[in-house]
Amino acid sequence: MIDDALGTVLVVDGDSQVRLLFRTALEAEKYRVVTAESGQHAVNLLAHYGVDVILLDAALVPPEGDDEGEPLVSRLHKAQPGCPIIMMVGQEESGAGFGARSDSPVLEKPCQLDVLLRVVGEQVRMSRTR
């Protein structure tokens, strides 16, 4: 664990290489990082971890909802109220179509790590001032 962490980030992505890349980059900047390979895993982790920001791969968010009968983004907001969700979308996707709030940041994949770090930093600062 990082004692002087800037904040805690939950990275939710089905690709283990993306999770590792983001974890490495964020930890190098002094963030505490928790990772999940699915939406359900993310919801389960939020029962045990307080996070400042969620990075969510839109490919894991079924537009019609999930097996639990409720959209994933809604379940994440219930598990961690007020926590910003940064949607990571492919070129053909739109973050708003997956239940994200209209003011939620959207990063296009693949994204530059400096952009990722800037957006995460902004959202962590905003999250901590709420």
Side-chain angles (χ1 to χ4, degrees):
M1 279 297 193
I2 302 170
D3 293 332
D4 59 345
L6 296 174
T8 302
V9 180
L10 172 59
V11 177
V12 187
D13 198 294
D15 185 329
S16 62
Q17 295 294 346
V18 171
R19 290 193 310 271
L20 178 61
L21 174 66
F22 286 1
R23 172 189 285 277
T24 303
L26 290 162
E27 286 180 344
E29 294 295 317
K30 302 271 192 220
Y31 290 98
R32 185 175 296 116
V33 180
V34 181
T35 62
E37 71 276 352
S38 70
Q40 183 59 51
H41 186 205
V43 172
N44 293 342
L45 285 173
L46 289 176
H48 303 286
Y49 293 94
V51 301
D52 297 296
V53 173
I54 300 169
L55 277 169
L56 177 60
D57 181 5
L60 297 177
V61 183
E64 68 283 349
D66 58 18
D67 294 339
E68 302 296 320
E70 183 177 7
L72 175 59
V73 172
S74 295
R75 293 176 56 220
L76 293 171
H77 279 300
K78 277 186 183 176
Q80 197 83 177
C83 182
I85 297 176
I86 301 170
M87 296 295 288
M88 298 180 295
V89 300
Q91 293 177 344
E92 70 285 349
E93 302 165 323
S94 160
F98 296 93
R101 295 183 350 217
S102 60
D103 64 341
S104 295
V106 176
L107 293 176
E108 189 173 302
K109 286 174 74 175
C111 68
Q112 297 294 319
L113 289 179
D114 62 328
V115 173
L116 171 81
L117 295 171
R118 180 180 49 78
V119 172
V120 166
E122 290 168 356
Q123 293 301 307
V124 166
R125 284 188 295 280
M126 287 175 33
S127 174
R128 291 199 161 185
T129 59
R130 289 183 187 151

